Amino acid sequence: MGLARTHAVALVGLTGALVEVEADISGQLPGIILIGLPDAALSEATERVRAAAKNSGCPLTRNKLTINLSPASLPKHGSGFDLAIALACLGADQVVSPASVGRVVHIGELALDGRLRPTPGMLPAVIAASRLGHETVMVPAGNVEEASLVPGVRVIGVASLRDAAIWHGADLEPVQVDPIPAPDDAAAETSEPDLADIVGNDDAILALQIAAAGGHHVFMVGPPGAGKTMLAARLPGLLPDLDPEASLEVSSMRSLSGRGVGHTLITRPPLEAPHHTATAAAMVGGGSGQIRPGAAARASHGVLFLDEAPEFASAVLDALRQPLESGVISIHRANGVAHFPARFQLVMAANPCPCGQYGAADLDCTCPPSSRRRYLARISGPLLDRIDIQLKVQRITAAQLRMATETPRQVSAVARKRVVEARSAAAERLSGTPWTLNSAVPGPWLRGSQARLGGAATATLDRALERGGITMRGYDRVLRVAWSIADLEGVARPGIEQVGQALYLRKGMTS
């Protein structure tokens, strides 16, 4: 009779907690009892572990096994505890060295034949283990590249439970098995689309660069075929490469979503474009058991694009209001709270009316005025008030097409260089503050002595506020966009021209 313990990692959102897995052999009656607040998938681990151990040539004891996951008050989800449970049981039976098992953190799901399946969330789990002071982690062979992205951690990749047992001192002959590969969607991704593909719409292209320079949200309205989706898809290509902290966060989110990371961290901003039938849980995250990130969390440090925005349910759109302000998504459940990052740029696109032809020069709209008002009113005023840039996009004409083919078009590489220079200017100006982007600067600072603009520069903006044309939140957002325009143009402070352009971009749909 014996006792052995090892460690695994429980994830709640992107936060990992260390779980001690204890296995105790007692009594003569066969059976396995798993305690410590496991969910349904984890409760089934006992059957997976028993079958995997038998098929690996190291069957579990026939005596009673009690397995405890500590701390007992912490909810545990998923199948990533299988490897730790199996090795704790084998350690209690002296098949492997209990001391060796106790020094290693084990993460992985077992197949019935004893092979190890790659586990979603491996990167944040290894980060948590390293942060909590553990230097050695054993993972499935398919997760080795991903786990090795965490510096300062010794990663041991094993293809099967038999290989893991041999590494821990079991007297078994090695058997060659084919490891189960991890998904690697990152390797299959194509290059980012280029601005050079856009014909016409010069105002919209400039607005995208301003949005990229300051991290601003965008709302585009125009008839079908005007190029709204093409424009939105090219915004990530204008954004700078991710810094190391953001790269680790984006890669961890991708890992947690089960999409695979590959052998390098993600360095380009992500683009998420959920369908308009998405639920609130699909948008911001949720789940009755394990809490999973939604599209807004997966878009953090990148772009969340909502095409046909009025077709989304109102509750889904309004669920984005709080993340747009705070940059964090907090999902509360009875057994815990999960936090996900949500520092994304929101891009929405919409037709001007149900038939889509209102304002088009070539076709007549068949919608009554009340129908047009109701259609765009599906996007609530409080959400629209958080959008910095609102503009109309028109279809290109034949004359514009001929002119565009004869003149050179802007490419994403050149535009991105301008954006990088603008962001550098903003970061230098905001040095010594908690902010690096104009979109994150609070209104009191913008209106304070540090960044206050002259009365002549803000005269038009002041009149718009007095007449109720914009709210106080809108006033501050116009100032933020004005600073982004100034940074993009290389001027020290916004003047009348920059503030007027920012106000036009704010009120472009109603002007």
Side-chain angles (χ1 to χ4, degrees):
M1 307 303 174
L3 173 69
R5 56 175 57 90
T6 186
H7 295 91
V9 176
L11 289 174
V12 181
L14 277 185
T15 306
L18 202 65
V19 174
E20 188 175 60
V21 181
E22 301 174 297
D24 177 69
I25 300 176
S26 60
Q28 300 298 320
L29 297 176
I32 302 180
I33 299 175
L34 180 62
I35 57 178
L37 212 57
D39 70 347
L42 182 50
S43 297
E44 296 169 351
T46 56
E47 299 303 322
R48 287 194 300 272
V49 168
R50 186 181 289 281
K54 176 177 70 68
N55 293 324
S56 298
C58 45
L60 301 183
T61 177
R62 293 184 177 274
N63 295 331
K64 180 181 178 182
L65 270 167
T66 302
I67 303 161
N68 180 44
L69 309 177
S70 179
S73 59
L74 177 71
K76 291 92 178 174
H77 305 283
S79 54
F81 295 83
D82 290 3
L83 181 59
I85 291 172
L87 290 172
C89 293
L90 295 176
D93 201 24
Q94 303 297 317
V95 175
V96 300
S97 167
S100 176
V101 167
R103 289 191 292 265
V104 179
V105 176
H106 299 90
I107 308 168
E109 175 187 346
L110 286 170
L112 296 184
D113 61 358
R115 289 186 300 167
L116 280 164
R117 300 184 185 278
T119 304
M122 182 60 68
L123 182 58
V126 176
I127 291 173
S130 173
R131 189 183 70 250
L132 294 169
H134 287 263
E135 300 177 351
T136 307
V137 180
M138 182 175 285
V139 303
N143 284 131
V144 169
E145 287 186 340
E146 182 178 330
S148 298
L149 295 174
V150 182
V153 176
R154 180 189 179 193
V155 177
I156 303 160
V158 290
S160 66
L161 177 59
R162 187 183 184 94
D163 292 345
I166 291 172
W167 194 90
H168 283 298
D171 187 16
L172 299 169
E173 290 294 326
V175 175
Q176 185 68 31
V177 298
D178 294 326
I180 302 174
D184 187 7
D185 297 339
E189 290 183 351
T190 58
S191 59
E192 293 171 322
D194 201 280
L195 270 184
D197 301 332
I198 304 292
V199 177
N201 283 320
D202 293 339
D203 290 345
I205 291 175
L206 177 59
L208 280 187
Q209 295 177 57
I210 296 170
H216 304 289
H217 309 304
V218 182
F219 183 30
M220 295 181 287
V221 175
K228 303 184 296 294
T229 302
M230 286 187 69
L231 286 163
R234 280 147 184 80
L235 178 56
L238 305 183
L239 301 178
D241 288 339
L242 301 174
D243 60 44
E245 182 179 352
S247 179
L248 192 61
E249 199 169 77
V250 169
S251 301
S252 297
M253 191 63 64
R254 190 184 190 97
S255 173
L256 191 62
S257 302
R259 298 166 61 190
V261 175
H263 61 280
T264 59
L265 292 174
I266 306 298
T267 58
R268 294 298 302 147
L271 170 66
E272 289 288 332
H275 192 260
H276 64 259
T277 57
T279 63
M283 184 65 71
V284 299
S288 57
Q290 188 169 4
I291 301 174
R292 292 292 187 186
R298 297 194 301 270
S300 191
H301 301 290
V303 176
L304 176 65
F305 175 46
L306 305 184
D307 201 5
E308 306 295 345
E311 302 295 338
F312 283 80
S314 298
V316 175
L317 293 177
D318 287 338
L320 295 173
R321 285 158 53 180
Q322 184 267 339
L324 286 176
E325 291 291 331
S326 66
V328 177
I329 294 173
S330 299
I331 300 175
H332 295 254
R333 293 292 182 267
N335 55 6
V337 181
H339 301 285
F340 296 109
R343 290 178 289 274
F344 56 86
Q345 283 185 250
L346 177 64
V347 179
M348 297 193 297
N351 294 328
C353 63
C355 78
Q357 305 305 326
Y358 180 68
D362 50 348
L363 292 172
D364 293 329
C365 174
T366 59
C367 305
S370 59
S371 178
R372 294 197 296 266
R373 288 194 298 269
R374 283 196 303 270
Y375 185 70
L376 288 180
R378 296 178 184 177
I379 304 174
S380 68
L383 178 60
L384 276 179
D385 203 32
R386 290 167 167 82
I387 306 300
D388 303 338
I389 298 174
Q390 304 175 21
L391 66 151
K392 293 179 181 177
V393 182
Q394 298 293 346
R395 292 195 187 107
I396 188 171
T397 64
Q400 290 172 323
L401 179 60
R402 285 193 298 270
M403 186 181 299
T405 56
E406 297 170 357
T407 57
R409 280 174 279 178
Q410 191 164 190
V411 297
S412 291
V414 174
R416 188 195 301 173
K417 184 178 179 181
R418 290 187 66 203
V419 169
V420 170
E421 292 172 353
R423 288 199 174 197
S424 298
E428 183 177 352
R429 182 178 65 254
L430 297 171
S431 60
T433 71
W435 320 291
T436 57
L437 289 177
N438 291 321
S439 60
V441 179
W445 194 90
L446 286 171
R447 290 177 270 109
S449 58
Q450 303 95 325
R452 183 184 297 129
L453 303 181
T458 61
T460 304
L461 183 58
D462 294 337
R463 285 196 298 270
L465 180 63
E466 291 169 1
R467 294 171 180 173
I470 58 173
T471 64
M472 195 64 225
R473 178 190 282 129
Y475 186 99
D476 292 338
R477 289 188 178 276
V478 170
L479 290 178
R480 294 183 186 119
V481 174
W483 276 104
S484 295
I485 295 172
D487 292 334
L488 201 62
E489 295 178 351
V491 299
R493 297 175 71 82
I496 298 175
E497 184 179 345
Q498 287 77 25
V499 174
Q501 187 177 0
L503 183 59
Y504 171 77
L505 289 173
R506 174 76 180 179
K507 305 295 291 181
M509 293 194 306
T510 57
S511 59

